[in-house]
Amino acid sequence: LSLSHLDQLDNADTFEMKRILLEIDADPRIEGMKAFANVIWLSYCFGQQEVLIMMGAIFRVVEIDEHQPRATVIRLSLC
């Protein structure tokens, strides 16, 4: 779904900007971690899968893949 939204954006060549897609691995089964919450019930659009992430959450960069045709994919893991 996120990739389809990227296709709708204007090209950012004027400002030398890149399209970036963040893939975040956040395991809800980790004991004592409350860095994110499922907020589907607060969504304005029915059926949207939305997650709210705390501002103080810390992520580790797992991989940066710049060879994707539609956007640079950055894979993150919640620490």
Side-chain angles (χ1 to χ4, degrees):
L1 184 60
S2 297
L3 288 174
S4 67
H5 290 297
L6 283 175
D7 291 338
Q8 296 173 4
L9 297 174
D10 293 333
N11 286 336
D13 295 336
T14 307
F15 301 106
E16 297 180 14
M17 294 170 37
K18 291 185 177 183
R19 292 180 175 149
I20 295 178
L21 177 67
L22 298 176
E23 289 184 4
I24 300 173
D25 179 27
D27 190 351
R29 297 172 293 177
I30 295 176
E31 193 67 33
M33 186 170 304
K34 305 280 186 201
F36 61 96
N38 187 338
V39 291
I40 293 173
W41 57 277
L42 291 172
S43 179
Y44 178 75
C45 300
F46 179 76
Q48 291 288 327
Q49 299 290 324
E50 296 181 15
V51 174
L52 181 65
I53 299 174
M54 245 175 56
M55 262 172 85
I58 299 174
F59 297 95
R60 178 176 52 92
V61 176
V62 176
E63 179 183 12
I64 299 174
D65 186 359
E66 296 182 285
H67 303 292
Q68 296 295 322
R70 296 159 94 176
T72 296
V73 178
I74 300 176
R75 291 176 182 86
L76 303 172
S77 179
L78 182 65
C79 293

